[in-house]
Amino acid sequence: MKWKNQIVNLHAYQPGKSIDEVKKMYNLKEIFKLASNENPYGFSEKVKKVLEEDATSTFSYYPDGYATNLREEAAKFLGVKPTQLIFSNGTDELLQIISKALLEPGKNTVMACPTFSQYKHNAIMEGAEVREIPLVDGNHDLDNMLKALDHQTAIVWLCSPNNPTGTYITNDKLMNFLQQVPKDILIVLDEAYYEYVDADDYYDALSLIDKYPNLIVTRTFSKIYGLASFRVGYGIASEEIISALEPVRQPFNTNVLAQKVASEALKDQEFVSQCAALNKKELERYYDFCQKHNLHYYQSQGNFILIDFQCDGDDVFTFLLSKGYIVRSGKQLGFPTSIRVTIGTSEQNSGVIDAMKAFLEKQAIKN
Ligand SMILES: Cc1ncc(COP(=O)(O)O)c(C=O)c1O
C-alpha cells in the first residue's frame, strides 16, 4: 500500500477507558469523567425541549448542508454576516479543514508547545513542517512565534485560553502580534473556552475580524454549551477566508439534530452565564487546595486546571481513577508531572480534592 510517509508514525486517538470498564476494574458504583473539559451541568433546558419535541423528525433526508437556520441565529447573535461563518463537525473538523486548505509539503506552520494536540496532528498529515515554540510560564511566547514565521509559513495557531494550561493572551499582546504577522499568513485564534473567560484584559476577537482579514476565530458548542456529543464547531472570519474554506468542507458535515440543538442553545445565554459563574467559584476551591499543599498550578480561564504534583502524572491519574475520577495525565499533554482536571460540579470537585489529598498522604508515607 502506498500510505503517505507522514502518516506512518501517527498514532490514532487513544480513547480512555470506558466508564463501565473502570467500574468493573475498581468495583466502583459511580464514575465521574473529568477528562475532556465537557460541561458538568449538561445543557440548557431549552435544548432538552427541542430534543423531546423532535423525536418524530424525518431523519431519512440529508441535513441542510449550509446549516441555514443555525447560521442565521449565530450571525445575529455574534453580530456578523451569515457569510462570515463556517460550521463543522466539532472544531476538530474545522481545524482539519483549515490545515487541508493551506498546508502541504514545503510549507510550515507555527504553534505554541504544549497546546491543543490537533494543530500538530493535522499539520503532520498534510506533510507540513511543524514549528513549536515553547510556552513561557504557561503562556504563548508571541515574540518567538513571530520570529519563527517566514515566507513558507501558512498558518499560525493561537489557543486562548490555552489547553492544557488555561492561560490566555492579553489584549495588548494580541494586538502587537496581529500587527506584525504578514497578511498572507492565516492566524487561527482557537477560543474553545471563550465563554468561561472573565479576565479584564481579554480581547474582543470578533471586533478584530474586519481589521485583520487574515484572522479566523474558532469556537465550539462542545464546552460551555454542553453539546459535545452533537459535534458542532464554527469559525468566524472575513468572507474571503470563509469562501476559500467552504469547498474543503464535506457537504453535510453537521447533522440535522446538531444544527437544531446548537441554534436553540445559543438562545439560552442565562444558562451559559450560570455555568461560567459556577465554574469560576469551583476553580477557586482547586486554587485553595493547591496553595495549601504547595502544588504549582496555572490560573485558568477555562473549565479545567493543570496541577503539578512533582511526580509521574500517570501515578496521580491511576490513583484518582481507582477512586472513581477520570482525569487526564499530563504525560500525554506535555506536562509529565501534572494532571489536568476538568472542573466538575461542587460534589464532584469535593470528591476529586479529597482523592488528591489522599494521594498526597500516600506519597508522604512512601517518601
Ligand atoms: C482548545 C481546543 N480546541 C478545540 C477543541 C475541539 O473541540 P470540538 O469538540 O469542538 O471538536 C478542544 C477540545 O478539547 C480544545 O480544547
Short mmCIF file of all heavy atoms in Angstrom, two decimals, residues 4-28:
data_model
loop_
_atom_site.label_atom_id
_atom_site.label_comp_id
_atom_site.label_asym_id
_atom_site.label_seq_id
_atom_site.Cartn_x
_atom_site.Cartn_y
_atom_site.Cartn_z
N LYS A 4 0.79 7.63 2.74
CA LYS A 4 1.60 8.85 2.81
C LYS A 4 2.70 8.61 3.86
O LYS A 4 2.39 8.09 4.94
CB LYS A 4 0.76 10.02 3.31
CG LYS A 4 -0.16 10.68 2.32
CD LYS A 4 -0.95 11.74 3.10
CE LYS A 4 -1.57 12.79 2.26
NZ LYS A 4 -2.28 13.80 3.07
N ASN A 5 3.92 9.02 3.56
CA ASN A 5 5.03 8.84 4.52
C ASN A 5 4.69 9.40 5.88
O ASN A 5 4.98 8.81 6.92
CB ASN A 5 6.27 9.58 4.02
CG ASN A 5 7.03 8.73 3.04
OD1 ASN A 5 6.85 7.51 3.02
ND2 ASN A 5 7.83 9.37 2.21
N GLN A 6 4.06 10.57 5.87
CA GLN A 6 3.86 11.28 7.13
C GLN A 6 2.85 10.61 8.07
O GLN A 6 2.84 10.90 9.26
CB GLN A 6 3.48 12.75 6.90
CG GLN A 6 2.25 12.98 6.08
CD GLN A 6 2.56 13.21 4.60
OE1 GLN A 6 3.51 12.65 4.08
NE2 GLN A 6 1.75 14.00 3.94
N ILE A 7 2.00 9.71 7.54
CA ILE A 7 1.02 9.12 8.47
C ILE A 7 1.52 7.81 9.10
O ILE A 7 0.93 7.31 10.04
CB ILE A 7 -0.38 8.89 7.83
CG1 ILE A 7 -0.37 7.74 6.83
CG2 ILE A 7 -0.97 10.15 7.27
CD1 ILE A 7 -1.76 7.15 6.65
N VAL A 8 2.65 7.31 8.60
CA VAL A 8 3.14 6.02 9.09
C VAL A 8 3.38 6.04 10.60
O VAL A 8 3.05 5.10 11.31
CB VAL A 8 4.40 5.59 8.30
CG1 VAL A 8 5.01 4.33 8.89
CG2 VAL A 8 4.05 5.39 6.83
N ASN A 9 3.94 7.14 11.10
CA ASN A 9 4.24 7.20 12.53
C ASN A 9 3.18 7.92 13.37
O ASN A 9 3.37 8.16 14.55
CB ASN A 9 5.60 7.87 12.76
CG ASN A 9 6.70 7.03 12.18
OD1 ASN A 9 6.65 5.80 12.28
ND2 ASN A 9 7.68 7.67 11.55
N LEU A 10 2.06 8.25 12.74
CA LEU A 10 1.00 8.93 13.51
C LEU A 10 0.22 7.92 14.34
O LEU A 10 0.00 6.79 13.91
CB LEU A 10 0.02 9.63 12.56
CG LEU A 10 0.32 11.05 12.12
CD1 LEU A 10 -0.85 11.58 11.29
CD2 LEU A 10 0.56 11.98 13.31
N HIS A 11 -0.19 8.34 15.55
CA HIS A 11 -0.98 7.44 16.39
C HIS A 11 -2.45 7.81 16.29
O HIS A 11 -2.79 8.99 16.24
CB HIS A 11 -0.54 7.55 17.85
CG HIS A 11 0.89 7.16 18.02
ND1 HIS A 11 1.31 5.86 17.86
CD2 HIS A 11 2.00 7.88 18.32
CE1 HIS A 11 2.62 5.81 18.04
NE2 HIS A 11 3.06 7.03 18.31
N ALA A 12 -3.29 6.80 16.31
CA ALA A 12 -4.74 7.06 16.35
C ALA A 12 -5.08 7.66 17.69
O ALA A 12 -4.38 7.44 18.68
CB ALA A 12 -5.50 5.76 16.16
N TYR A 13 -6.17 8.40 17.76
CA TYR A 13 -6.64 8.96 19.02
C TYR A 13 -6.88 7.81 20.01
O TYR A 13 -7.52 6.81 19.68
CB TYR A 13 -7.96 9.74 18.78
CG TYR A 13 -8.59 10.23 20.05
CD1 TYR A 13 -8.02 11.27 20.76
CD2 TYR A 13 -9.73 9.62 20.56
CE1 TYR A 13 -8.59 11.72 21.94
CE2 TYR A 13 -10.31 10.06 21.74
CZ TYR A 13 -9.73 11.11 22.43
OH TYR A 13 -10.29 11.54 23.61
N GLN A 14 -6.32 7.95 21.20
CA GLN A 14 -6.45 6.89 22.20
C GLN A 14 -7.60 7.22 23.14
O GLN A 14 -7.45 8.05 24.04
CB GLN A 14 -5.16 6.80 23.04
CG GLN A 14 -3.94 6.35 22.27
CD GLN A 14 -3.99 4.86 21.95
OE1 GLN A 14 -4.47 4.08 22.75
NE2 GLN A 14 -3.53 4.49 20.78
N PRO A 15 -8.73 6.57 22.96
CA PRO A 15 -9.81 6.87 23.91
C PRO A 15 -9.45 6.31 25.28
O PRO A 15 -8.79 5.27 25.37
CB PRO A 15 -11.02 6.12 23.32
CG PRO A 15 -10.45 5.11 22.39
CD PRO A 15 -9.07 5.54 22.01
N GLY A 16 -9.83 7.01 26.34
CA GLY A 16 -9.54 6.50 27.68
C GLY A 16 -10.39 5.27 27.94
O GLY A 16 -11.17 4.84 27.09
N LYS A 17 -10.22 4.70 29.13
CA LYS A 17 -11.05 3.54 29.48
C LYS A 17 -12.51 3.99 29.58
O LYS A 17 -12.79 5.10 30.00
CB LYS A 17 -10.61 2.99 30.83
CG LYS A 17 -9.30 2.26 30.76
CD LYS A 17 -9.06 1.49 32.04
CE LYS A 17 -7.77 0.70 32.01
NZ LYS A 17 -6.81 0.96 30.99
N SER A 18 -13.43 3.09 29.21
CA SER A 18 -14.83 3.47 29.29
C SER A 18 -15.26 3.45 30.77
O SER A 18 -14.62 2.82 31.61
CB SER A 18 -15.70 2.50 28.49
OG SER A 18 -15.82 1.30 29.21
N ILE A 19 -16.35 4.15 31.04
CA ILE A 19 -16.85 4.22 32.41
C ILE A 19 -17.15 2.81 32.93
O ILE A 19 -16.79 2.46 34.06
CB ILE A 19 -18.09 5.16 32.46
CG1 ILE A 19 -17.58 6.60 32.28
CG2 ILE A 19 -18.89 4.98 33.74
CD1 ILE A 19 -18.59 7.68 32.39
N ASP A 20 -17.74 1.97 32.09
CA ASP A 20 -18.06 0.60 32.52
C ASP A 20 -16.79 -0.19 32.86
O ASP A 20 -16.76 -0.94 33.83
CB ASP A 20 -18.85 -0.14 31.42
CG ASP A 20 -20.30 0.32 31.43
OD1 ASP A 20 -20.72 0.93 32.45
OD2 ASP A 20 -21.00 0.10 30.43
N GLU A 21 -15.76 -0.03 32.03
CA GLU A 21 -14.50 -0.73 32.30
C GLU A 21 -13.93 -0.33 33.66
O GLU A 21 -13.48 -1.17 34.43
CB GLU A 21 -13.47 -0.37 31.22
CG GLU A 21 -13.50 -1.23 29.98
CD GLU A 21 -12.49 -0.71 28.95
OE1 GLU A 21 -12.61 0.46 28.54
OE2 GLU A 21 -11.58 -1.45 28.59
N VAL A 22 -13.94 0.99 33.92
CA VAL A 22 -13.36 1.48 35.18
C VAL A 22 -14.18 0.97 36.37
O VAL A 22 -13.63 0.55 37.39
CB VAL A 22 -13.30 3.03 35.18
CG1 VAL A 22 -12.74 3.56 36.48
CG2 VAL A 22 -12.48 3.54 34.01
N LYS A 23 -15.50 0.97 36.21
CA LYS A 23 -16.38 0.47 37.29
C LYS A 23 -16.01 -0.96 37.65
O LYS A 23 -15.86 -1.31 38.81
CB LYS A 23 -17.84 0.49 36.80
CG LYS A 23 -18.59 1.75 37.14
CD LYS A 23 -20.06 1.56 36.78
CE LYS A 23 -20.77 2.89 36.84
NZ LYS A 23 -22.07 2.87 36.20
N LYS A 24 -15.87 -1.76 36.62
CA LYS A 24 -15.57 -3.18 36.83
C LYS A 24 -14.19 -3.35 37.46
O LYS A 24 -14.00 -4.10 38.40
CB LYS A 24 -15.58 -3.89 35.46
CG LYS A 24 -16.77 -4.84 35.33
CD LYS A 24 -16.59 -5.72 34.13
CE LYS A 24 -17.97 -5.99 33.51
NZ LYS A 24 -17.90 -6.18 32.08
N MET A 25 -13.23 -2.61 36.91
CA MET A 25 -11.83 -2.75 37.34
C MET A 25 -11.66 -2.48 38.83
O MET A 25 -10.91 -3.15 39.52
CB MET A 25 -10.99 -1.73 36.56
CG MET A 25 -9.87 -2.32 35.77
SD MET A 25 -9.23 -1.01 34.72
CE MET A 25 -7.73 -0.65 35.58
N TYR A 26 -12.36 -1.43 39.30
CA TYR A 26 -12.14 -1.00 40.69
C TYR A 26 -13.36 -1.27 41.57
O TYR A 26 -13.41 -0.82 42.71
CB TYR A 26 -11.78 0.50 40.74
CG TYR A 26 -10.46 0.79 40.07
CD1 TYR A 26 -10.43 1.36 38.80
CD2 TYR A 26 -9.25 0.50 40.70
CE1 TYR A 26 -9.22 1.63 38.17
CE2 TYR A 26 -8.04 0.76 40.07
CZ TYR A 26 -8.04 1.33 38.81
OH TYR A 26 -6.84 1.60 38.20
N ASN A 27 -14.31 -1.98 41.04
CA ASN A 27 -15.51 -2.32 41.79
C ASN A 27 -16.18 -1.06 42.37
O ASN A 27 -16.45 -0.98 43.57
CB ASN A 27 -15.12 -3.31 42.90
CG ASN A 27 -16.33 -4.06 43.42
OD1 ASN A 27 -17.38 -4.07 42.75
ND2 ASN A 27 -16.22 -4.65 44.60
N LEU A 28 -16.40 -0.10 41.49
CA LEU A 28 -16.99 1.18 41.93
C LEU A 28 -18.42 1.30 41.43
O LEU A 28 -18.77 0.74 40.39
CB LEU A 28 -16.17 2.34 41.36
CG LEU A 28 -14.74 2.49 41.89
CD1 LEU A 28 -13.94 3.42 40.97
CD2 LEU A 28 -14.74 3.04 43.31
#
